[in-house]
Amino acid sequence: MTPVRVTVWGENRHEKIEEHVRKIYPDGMHETIADGIRENLGDGAVVRTVTLDDPEHGLTEEALQDTDVLVWWGHAAHGEVADEVVERVHQHVLSGMGLVVLHSGHWSKIFMKLMGTSCTLRWRSEHDRELIWTVDPTHPIADGVPHPLEIEEDEMYGEFFDIPAPDELIFISTFSGGEAFRSGCTFHRGYGKIFYFRPGDQDYPTYHHKDVRRVIANGVKWARTDRPERTAPVLLRYETGEFFKGAGYTGPLG
């Protein structure tokens, strides 16, 4: 199989304006996430990075056509992502592009659009210990992941997490404050596969954690589809006895 083409999208704002974040991620969180994917997938992936401040946020039509899986981290500037770019990404996901959404990307425009809910949750950033428990050890995203995966300190996310029921629940997290959270969830939208993974607040070195990096790389491998071409589901008219070749209009009338 040819290498999976991965684009890591990073907001890249905290690293520019907060010195303590820059010390943790001197090259930007997006570069650290990308390095983790390269580290785990090796020659099985071609990874590049783009950021919010790139032209069209780095997500041009050509860039998305050249992307098998898009990895998304955002937090402070969700509202600055142009709606036309969100729509472009949305159409690519429906047409078969994989999407891995990390941490505070739960409130990104693209994740909320795909989920159709508020995606709100409880949170606290007070250096909680997180234990990530594997509840589906047979899933490929859980391959090689310790049970539990321990993160010494990170931001807490707690239920209720307002998302649709996941197609698959792979991980749940518990925190030193007693909270629990559905921290590893998959969804299918159109022909696209989506993986949401909770860890990764900018104030902590979470994306240097070898097991967190392993999960993200596994998620990238899983989210790639094997469709020969990227096409969205369409409405076709079929004649009696015709099973494979639709005819006529390809969308709603009018």
Side-chain angles (χ1 to χ4, degrees), residues 117-220:
T117 57
S118 74
C119 298
T120 193
L121 44 77
R122 295 185 178 192
W123 70 277
R124 177 181 60 251
S125 188
E126 297 179 7
H127 302 268
D128 278 79
R129 184 189 71 162
E130 178 178 7
L131 295 178
I132 300 176
W133 304 89
T134 301
V135 296
D136 186 357
T138 67
H139 199 285
I141 294 179
D143 182 43
V145 178
H147 177 74
L149 189 168
E150 181 177 358
I151 300 174
E152 291 184 1
E153 53 180 5
D154 205 341
E155 184 177 35
M156 183 281 292
Y157 279 5
E159 297 288 346
F160 174 60
F161 185 18
D162 185 21
I163 54 172
D167 293 330
E168 299 161 307
L169 180 61
I170 306 165
F171 306 113
I172 61 171
S173 290
T174 57
F175 296 86
S176 48
E179 298 86 0
F181 189 76
R182 289 168 289 168
S183 56
C185 307
T186 70
F187 307 88
H188 293 73
R189 295 292 185 270
Y191 293 130
K193 298 161 72 176
I194 303 162
F195 174 51
Y196 173 77
F197 189 46
R198 194 218 71 83
D201 184 75
Q202 71 278 354
D203 289 335
Y204 306 94
T206 306
Y207 292 127
H208 294 286
H209 193 300
K210 66 180 181 64
D211 296 319
V212 170
R213 290 157 78 99
R214 177 65 177 266
V215 172
I216 294 170
N218 286 352
V220 165

Side-chain angles (χ1 to χ4, degrees), residues 6-241:
V6 185
T7 298
V8 177
W9 189 90
E11 186 180 272
N12 197 35
R13 286 294 169 82
H14 291 283
E15 303 93 313
K16 290 183 176 181
I17 63 176
E18 298 179 45
E19 179 61 27
H20 72 282
V21 178
R22 187 159 52 248
K23 287 181 178 179
I24 300 170
Y25 300 106
D27 297 319
M29 297 178 71
H30 53 290
E31 292 294 347
T32 302
I33 293 166
D35 284 344
I37 296 169
R38 296 185 187 106
E39 173 185 286
N40 281 276
L41 299 187
D43 294 339
V46 175
V47 187
R48 66 189 187 95
T49 63
V50 296
T51 66
L52 175 67
D53 291 328
D54 291 332
E56 298 184 61
H57 312 319
L59 300 174
T60 64
E61 177 63 28
E62 294 75 14
L64 293 174
Q65 286 286 355
D66 198 39
T67 299
D68 296 315
V69 179
L70 175 62
V71 180
W72 191 283
W73 193 99
H75 177 231
H78 294 315
E80 295 181 37
V81 179
D83 291 342
E84 58 266 28
V85 173
V86 175
E87 180 59 29
R88 186 183 302 151
V89 173
H90 183 257
Q91 290 304 313
H92 273 271
V93 172
L94 297 183
S95 300
M97 184 181 72
L99 179 65
V100 175
V101 176
L102 302 175
H103 190 61
S104 46
H106 72 91
W107 255 355
S108 63
K109 288 182 179 180
I110 182 59
F111 190 67
M112 293 178 67
K113 184 177 180 71
L114 288 161
M115 295 299 103
T117 57
S118 74
C119 298
T120 193
L121 44 77
R122 295 185 178 192
W123 70 277
R124 177 181 60 251
S125 188
E126 297 179 7
H127 302 268
D128 278 79
R129 184 189 71 162
E130 178 178 7
L131 295 178
I132 300 176
W133 304 89
T134 301
V135 296
D136 186 357
T138 67
H139 199 285
I141 294 179
D143 182 43
V145 178
H147 177 74
L149 189 168
E150 181 177 358
I151 300 174
E152 291 184 1
E153 53 180 5
D154 205 341
E155 184 177 35
M156 183 281 292
Y157 279 5
E159 297 288 346
F160 174 60
F161 185 18
D162 185 21
I163 54 172
D167 293 330
E168 299 161 307
L169 180 61
I170 306 165
F171 306 113
I172 61 171
S173 290
T174 57
F175 296 86
S176 48
E179 298 86 0
F181 189 76
R182 289 168 289 168
S183 56
C185 307
T186 70
F187 307 88
H188 293 73
R189 295 292 185 270
Y191 293 130
K193 298 161 72 176
I194 303 162
F195 174 51
Y196 173 77
F197 189 46
R198 194 218 71 83
D201 184 75
Q202 71 278 354
D203 289 335
Y204 306 94
T206 306
Y207 292 127
H208 294 286
H209 193 300
K210 66 180 181 64
D211 296 319
V212 170
R213 290 157 78 99
R214 177 65 177 266
V215 172
I216 294 170
N218 286 352
V220 165
K221 286 179 62 177
W222 172 85
R224 180 188 195 176
T225 64
D226 57 1
R227 291 178 54 77
E229 59 180 318
R230 189 168 295 168
T231 56
V234 296
L235 175 66
L236 295 173
R237 183 181 186 280
Y238 288 82
E239 300 294 339
T240 302

